[in-house]
Amino acid sequence: MVSLNDILILNAELAALVRAGIPIELGLRRLSTERSGGLARLSERLATRLEQGEPLVDAIRREGAAVSPLY
């Protein structure tokens, strides 16, 4: 499971990527190399799913308990 702080970082990263018009999977892949631990692994898994064409909401939903149900 990722921490609340990790979720906040992920959320800020997603918002910044959308504002900048950068493909989310590219930004998440970069985030996975810049961070460590749960956030790096989560970012890597999400990037892989997005690259395979999965919608972001489904990719996050597949994480189950690893991501807060509030997300």
Side-chain angles (χ1 to χ4, degrees):
M1 179 176 250
V2 295
S3 70
L4 176 58
N5 188 53
D6 288 342
I7 294 296
L8 293 173
I9 292 169
L10 176 64
N11 196 59
E13 182 71 15
L14 291 172
L17 292 167
V18 169
R19 279 193 305 273
I22 298 170
I24 295 172
E25 60 273 17
L26 294 178
L28 288 174
R29 184 76 60 204
R30 181 183 49 80
L31 183 63
S32 74
T33 64
E34 294 175 351
R35 297 291 175 158
S36 61
L39 181 56
R41 290 187 300 275
L42 173 61
S43 298
E44 179 71 26
R45 289 190 305 270
L46 292 175
T48 298
R49 290 184 186 129
L50 293 175
E51 290 167 351
Q52 294 171 347
E54 192 168 336
L56 178 61
V57 67
D58 293 341
I60 291 173
R61 190 174 290 132
R62 284 184 55 191
E63 287 298 317
V67 178
S68 169
L70 295 175
Y71 200 83

